Amino acid sequence: MGTPEFPDLGKHCAFSDCKLIDFLPFTCDRCNQVYCLEHRSYIKHHCTKADKQDVTVVICPLCAKGVRLVPEQDPNITWENHVNTDCDPSNYEKVTKKKKCPAAGCKEILVFSNTIKCRDCMVDHCLKHRFGPDHKCPGPKKLESNFSFMSLMNRNRKPESKKINSSSTPSSSKWTKSFLNAASSIRASAEAGISKLSGEINQAWGTSSDGGGKSNSSGQVEQCPQCDAKFSSVTALVDHVQKVHERSGNRSAAKVTIDACPKCSKGFRDPVSLVEHVEREHGGSSSA
């Protein structure tokens, strides 16, 4: 057996009538014996352990379901168990009846590779009749108006709405009145708050912290030296002089410069008078 270089190469076939040396032998997965190419199958070498893991399925003629025969069990017992428990004759038509294309005059059987569902009518058709005009597509299905559930809902809604309207008229009027009263009170409070806020804003603008923009808190009134007009703040007086007297046609009038006190915002035409006022009234400190 083998060759001088590889003496262990090849094995004899375990079949009694063969005993052939095979250099590529096959090992049976049931009896674990070595066989040649010709006797490798269970039937050829008459394997005694082939039925233990063998799977045999018989198609039931009543329900078209597969019935597996249990090894080492009488097939008649397996058949009786199937008939008494799992057999359903109504399933025979579903399994054996082949689905065909619903297009008129088409007899093509629909399988996985030639079936396309129409997007409008959602019905399966063959490749030849996959487009709407080819199978006379009726279009998307519309919800029927005489649908039993919808009609039932409409019938239940109508009397309830009538009862509610008839019984809730006095209560609804009271509710609307209370709602209008609450809305009017909220509106009045909002208007009062807005007016108060606007007054505070105007007062803050009038008493701003800018040196030139302060109003006289002591009630003093600034007077224009040319036209004797009176103003409540130095800023208003300066604006008046610049707009009226400097831009007027009287060019001969000399321009007047007014210096404001950084403490009380009182205006002075003469810087000396401003210094004397600061020393006399504010203790000699002119810092703001």
Side-chain angles (χ1 to χ4, degrees):
M1 185 176 65
T3 60
E5 292 81 5
F6 302 98
D8 297 332
L9 184 62
K11 291 183 180 181
H12 287 281
C13 180
F15 191 65
S16 59
D17 295 337
C18 180
K19 299 298 181 179
L20 179 67
I21 298 176
D22 197 334
F23 295 100
L24 295 174
F26 297 89
T27 303
C28 180
D29 57 352
R30 299 294 186 268
C31 60
N32 295 324
Q33 298 292 328
V34 178
Y35 297 96
C36 63
L37 178 63
E38 184 180 355
H39 300 97
R40 70 184 186 279
S41 61
Y42 303 143
I43 298 174
K44 290 293 183 178
H45 67 265
H46 305 292
C47 185
T48 58
K49 299 180 180 180
D51 294 338
K52 293 183 178 181
Q53 296 183 3
D54 191 13
V55 178
T56 303
V57 179
V58 179
I59 303 300
C60 178
L62 300 177
C63 62
K65 291 183 179 180
V67 181
R68 179 181 177 181
L69 299 180
V70 181
E72 300 180 357
Q73 186 180 12
D74 190 1
N76 295 325
I77 298 175
T78 306
W79 176 257
E80 289 180 0
N81 294 332
H82 166 71
V83 172
N84 295 329
T85 56
D86 298 334
C87 188
D88 186 10
S90 62
N91 188 52
Y92 184 81
E93 294 183 358
K94 297 178 182 179
V95 176
T96 58
K97 187 178 181 181
K98 296 180 180 180
K99 190 176 181 180
K100 295 183 180 180
C101 180
C106 184
K107 297 181 180 180
E108 186 173 356
I109 298 173
L110 297 179
V111 293
F112 176 77
S113 60
N114 69 339
T115 303
I116 294 181
K117 182 177 290 186
C118 179
R119 295 182 179 178
D120 296 331
C121 61
M122 306 300 293
V123 180
D124 294 335
H125 293 84
C126 63
L127 295 176
K128 185 178 179 181
H129 301 97
R130 63 185 182 274
F131 298 110
D134 296 334
H135 62 265
K136 297 180 181 180
C137 182
K141 293 183 180 180
K142 297 181 179 179
L143 184 63
E144 297 180 359
S145 59
N146 57 352
F147 186 57
S148 59
F149 180 75
M150 297 300 293
S151 61
L152 182 62
M153 291 294 293
N154 294 331
R155 290 176 185 175
N156 294 334
R157 286 178 182 176
K158 289 180 180 179
E160 289 179 0
S161 61
K162 291 181 179 179
K163 291 179 181 179
I164 292 171
N165 293 332
S166 61
S167 62
S168 63
T169 49
S171 61
S172 62
S173 61
K174 293 180 181 178
W175 184 82
T176 51
K177 289 180 180 178
S178 61
F179 179 76
L180 292 175
N181 294 332
S184 61
S185 63
I186 292 172
R187 182 178 179 181
S189 61
E191 290 178 352
I194 291 173
S195 61
K196 182 178 180 182
L197 181 62
S198 62
E200 292 179 356
I201 292 173
N202 295 330
Q203 184 178 1
W205 276 104
T207 59
S208 60
S209 60
D210 296 338
K214 281 188 176 180
S215 61
N216 291 328
S217 59
S218 60
Q220 296 179 359
V221 178
E222 302 296 334
Q223 187 175 2
C224 178
Q226 295 186 12
C227 62
D228 296 333
K230 296 181 180 181
F231 301 93
S232 60
S233 63
V234 179
T235 305
L237 175 60
V238 173
D239 293 338
H240 165 73
V241 172
Q242 291 178 354
K243 292 179 180 179
V244 177
H245 301 289
E246 291 184 1
R247 298 180 183 180
S248 61
N250 188 9
R251 299 296 180 180
S252 60
K255 294 183 179 181
V256 179
T257 58
I258 298 175
D259 298 325
C261 177
K263 290 288 186 178
C264 60
S265 301
K266 185 176 180 180
F268 296 90
R269 290 176 289 177
D270 187 8
V272 178
S273 301
L274 175 59
V275 172
E276 293 176 353
H277 164 74
V278 171
E279 291 178 352
R280 182 177 63 254
E281 301 291 337
H282 304 294
S285 176
S286 61
S287 60

